[in-house]
Amino acid sequence: MDGLNALKKKYLDQIMAASDEAALEDLRLAAIGKKGEVSLKMRELGKMTPEERKRAGPVLNALKNEITSALAARKASLADAALEERLKAEWLDVTLAGRPRSRGSVHPVSQVTEEIVAIFADMGFSVAEGPQIESDWYNFDALNIPPEHPTRTEMDTFYMHRDAGDERVPNVLRTHTSPVQIRHMLAHGAPTRIIAPGRVYRADYDQTHTPMFHQVEGLALDRDISMANLKWTLEEFCRAFFEVENVELRFRASHFPFTEPSAEVDLRCSWDKGQLKVGEGDDWMEILGSGMVHPKVLRAGGIDPEQVQGFAFGIGIDRLAMLKYGIPDLRAFFDCDLRWLRHYGFRALDVPTLRGGLSA
Ligand code: PHE
């Protein structure tokens, strides 16, 4: 019996002193594991006389139970101590002010659209909108593009589905923002000054073309508006947008069914080691189409061309974004590659204004 008392004291002391779970497991194996000291003693019970067994059995069982609960108790207190340590180390001051960690970013197209809106808003233009699924009349006829006109095929139009037997001309995904001119004239008349940014669609795909892209339409109507007003407006816009003083534009005679006369506008620039500089050099970059609104278009918009004239223009927003921010491939704009968005994206809380800085 003395031997058992010594054994009990030895194990209980060691259990109390164990500093981690691994040490506890070693002790468990040494005492009550298959070949543990206590287990071996229990195995000897078989060789004892019935009287001896009657005495030794309960004592050994009690010893085994005691060791088992001492192990469990020590394990629990080690876990408590560990938790206590962590709580001390990993505290969090919930009264601290939040530190904003912005994850999303503003897409260059959204940024440039905001910049364009800010510049034209400063010149007194408001923003108008129209649907992306447009009727054939708004997208073509009202803009002086009759059914047989070659522009219809040049624009690589996406036609919407019509059920078999439905004889109506199918709707289209608008091929330009110009139908917003008509919608706006019909709803608001003249005088007016608007821009209409938005998505447009054409079946075309290469480094500078994607089937969906963005335009901003401009329309100014009043009693005596001329090409001179158009030229000033566009020069003023380019100066503000490219954030350089000496912008030079070249107006090249062109043709659009909805303007007369029509001009395409090029921007003087230089390409130096893949870097674009606006306002210097010997290169010209086409950036927009424009002209004086055609009398037939005014009439389609319910306006008397004898009383009112105006200018209109259509700028490719994605083109402007590529130029200003040096982005070489248009297709990457719409690939949704997070690395691209992080690289070319803008801080979400910086709103472009003329005073605060457009691209700051
Ligand atoms: N709608 C023309 C285009 O998409 C651009 C344009 C708009 C030209 C307004 C003149 C006037 O190419």
Side-chain angles (χ1 to χ4, degrees):
M1 279 292 118
D2 275 0
L4 285 185
N5 272 336
L7 198 61
K8 173 170 147 183
K9 184 169 165 17
K10 175 175 116 181
Y11 279 111
L12 293 186
D13 285 353
Q14 287 188 14
I15 288 168
M16 280 312 291
S19 58
D20 55 33
E21 279 205 32
L24 281 178
E25 179 61 9
D26 288 346
L27 286 168
R28 188 186 68 79
L29 288 171
I32 55 176
K34 250 192 186 151
K35 289 182 183 151
E37 270 189 278
V38 179
S39 311
L40 291 178
K41 287 216 177 319
M42 291 180 111
R43 226 179 279 166
E44 283 168 19
L45 287 172
K47 296 177 205 151
M48 292 178 184
T49 62
E51 287 75 42
E52 282 172 326
R53 200 182 304 140
K54 226 181 194 170
R55 245 180 337 113
V59 179
L60 278 171
N61 263 333
L63 176 58
K64 186 183 175 183
N65 289 340
E66 214 168 331
I67 290 175
T68 306
S69 36
L71 284 166
R74 182 65 188 151
K75 192 171 168 183
S77 79
L78 282 177
D80 282 352
L83 180 62
E84 195 66 25
E85 274 306 296
R86 273 187 60 190
L87 287 175
K88 252 188 254 161
E90 300 176 10
W91 61 278
L92 183 72
D93 185 350
V94 295
T95 65
L96 267 183
R99 262 168 295 179
R101 229 192 317 158
S102 64
R103 298 206 123 208
S105 60
V106 174
H107 194 285
V109 169
S110 306
Q111 168 76 18
V112 164
T113 306
E114 290 296 321
E115 294 178 19
I116 294 172
V117 169
I119 296 166
F120 279 108
D122 199 63
M123 294 195 256
F125 285 73
S126 49
V127 173
E129 287 186 315
Q132 293 176 39
I133 297 175
E134 195 47 286
S135 79
D136 168 83
W137 187 80
Y138 279 108
N139 195 79
F140 294 124
D141 298 75
L143 289 161
N144 192 31
I145 314 176
E148 67 289 352
H149 197 282
T151 303
R152 290 212 182 200
T153 40
E154 276 161 30
M155 280 196 172
D156 300 307
T157 313
F158 286 114
Y159 285 90
M160 304 296 288
H161 175 76
R162 282 260 190 250
D163 287 334
D166 188 339
E167 294 301 315
R168 288 172 302 163
V169 184
N171 286 333
V172 299
L173 288 177
R174 67 176 179 193
T175 56
H176 50 181
T177 42
S178 300
V180 185
Q181 288 187 33
I182 306 295
R183 289 184 175 273
H184 188 78
M185 285 187 236
L186 287 174
H188 301 282
T192 193
R193 262 177 290 176
I194 53 140
I195 55 164
R199 293 183 172 169
V200 299
Y201 302 83
R202 290 180 204 176
D204 206 352
Y205 190 67
D206 62 33
Q207 192 174 343
T208 51
H209 296 89
T210 50
M212 183 280 297
F213 60 104
H214 301 80
Q215 286 189 334
V216 59
E217 193 78 9
L219 175 70
L221 299 175
D222 211 331
R223 281 188 184 276
D224 37 33
I225 286 192
S226 72
M227 280 300 261
N229 301 119
L230 170 67
K231 189 158 184 273
W232 181 87
T233 304
L234 292 175
E235 276 169 356
E236 220 29 50
F237 164 73
C238 288
R239 199 168 293 133
F241 180 77
F242 288 106
E243 299 173 66
V244 288
E245 262 316 304
N246 51 335
V247 167
E248 200 185 328
L249 296 184
R250 180 172 74 180
F251 284 67
R252 205 165 15 86
S254 180
H255 174 78
F256 298 104
F258 31 90
T259 46
E260 184 57 39
S262 302
E264 280 178 300
V265 176
D266 305 329
L267 180 70
R268 186 189 281 283
C269 63
S270 72
W271 284 103
D272 193 17
K273 297 187 205 79
Q275 252 234 292
L276 177 91
K277 288 217 181 80
V278 171
E280 56 183 68
D282 297 319
D283 278 334
W284 294 94
M285 177 80 62
E286 183 197 322
I287 54 166
L288 61 93
S290 65
M292 298 304 292
V293 182
H294 197 288
K296 283 190 178 169
V297 174
L298 290 171
R299 255 182 238 116
I303 286 172
D304 179 1
E306 301 299 324
Q307 301 292 321
V308 170
Q309 306 90 51
F311 65 74
F313 56 83
I315 311 178
I317 295 182
D318 319 75
R319 242 306 165 75
L320 288 193
M322 292 172 80
L323 289 176
K324 182 164 178 182
Y325 295 111
I327 310 173
D329 194 324
L330 180 60
R331 291 168 295 194
F333 275 62
F334 311 115
D335 278 347
C336 299
D337 183 332
L338 271 182
R339 291 162 304 178
W340 187 92
L341 290 168
R342 286 203 186 106
H343 181 77
Y344 287 112
F346 290 81
R347 302 239 316 262
L349 298 175
D350 290 341
V351 178
T353 65
L354 285 179
R355 275 145 228 87
L358 284 177
S359 51

